[in-house]
Amino acid sequence: MKLYYPNAIKMPCPHYNARPNGPKGVVSLLVIHNISLPAGFFGGNYISELFAGTLDCEAHESFDELNGLKVSAHVCIRRDGKILQYVDFAQRAWHAGVSVFEGVAGCNDYSVGIELEGTDNHAYTDAQYASLQDVTCYLFSQFPMMTSDRIVGHNTIAPGRKTDPGDAFDWPRYLSALA
Ligand SMILES: [Zn+2]
């Protein structure tokens, strides 16, 4: 069974694999990230190209460090609220890296990853909060083990290594809208 958010724009992405069988692969965590390429620049197709494995690493000097990197997220929400889906929610996207939540390592196995186009210190847009809320409600309807107390920032599961979604992300606004 393929799971795509009904209003998502489906995007090509080879960077995923199967979740593990058994309890470890049961989807029970939502991880919120941010991304912008180059950092602080919005719009364009670089994020989708990175996830598709087609990014020209010569296109910007900062892309050097992305050379050979195979990463993805299930969804990216653009500044205008558009929802791009790269990986079937039933599959394992490659967004969390080395990570642990409540003692369970390897968060990619059991989480959904959502990227907000942004940075740690640019306010996210109203359209992004609205779309994020919609996708979250959809995920709650599909994955009963995913609850509002199991939504975290990348910074929480990879402390010291990751800072996203950053201080700009208004957690009370987001979480209160889910109640
Ligand atoms: Zn992240």
Side-chain angles (χ1 to χ4, degrees):
M1 185 178 62
K2 286 191 185 292
L3 283 178
Y4 282 85
Y5 180 67
N7 293 329
I9 302 163
K10 286 189 195 178
M11 304 295 289
C13 177
H15 300 159
Y16 69 92
N17 56 4
R19 296 184 186 279
N21 291 320
K24 181 82 192 293
V26 174
V27 177
S28 63
L29 185 70
L30 176 56
V31 182
I32 309 296
H33 303 258
N34 72 36
I35 188 169
S36 56
L37 290 177
F41 289 83
F42 306 142
N45 295 316
Y46 290 139
I47 297 168
S48 292
E49 290 169 5
L50 175 65
F51 292 170
T54 61
L55 180 65
D56 174 7
C57 290
E58 308 283 302
H60 189 270
E61 59 185 7
S62 70
F63 293 174
D64 258 5
E65 62 193 47
L66 302 176
N67 213 341
L69 199 65
K70 292 186 176 175
V71 293
S72 62
H74 291 91
V75 161
C76 179
I77 301 177
R78 305 294 300 256
R79 302 294 293 180
D80 63 2
K82 274 204 189 73
I83 298 165
L84 310 185
Q85 186 163 354
Y86 299 88
V87 176
D88 177 351
F89 292 123
Q91 302 288 332
R92 180 178 178 278
W94 302 344
H95 57 97
V98 176
S99 53
V100 58
F101 178 72
E102 293 186 346
V104 183
C107 294
N108 283 339
D109 290 346
Y110 59 95
S111 69
V112 164
I114 297 183
E115 299 277 1
L116 301 172
E117 187 182 20
T119 75
D120 288 4
N121 43 32
H122 281 77
Y124 297 96
T125 68
D126 291 344
Q128 286 180 303
Y129 283 103
S131 292
L132 178 59
Q133 182 185 340
D134 290 346
V135 176
T136 304
C137 290
Y138 170 81
L139 292 170
F140 283 179
S141 75
Q142 299 297 318
F143 302 112
M145 301 290 285
M146 184 192 285
T147 50
S148 56
D149 60 344
R150 294 183 63 89
I151 304 176
V152 293
H154 199 187
N155 60 311
T156 295
I157 59 169
R161 192 173 71 83
K162 293 292 178 179
T163 58
D164 57 317
D167 289 340
F169 188 67
D170 189 342
W171 283 100
R173 172 179 177 168
Y174 169 46
L175 292 174
S176 64
L178 301 176

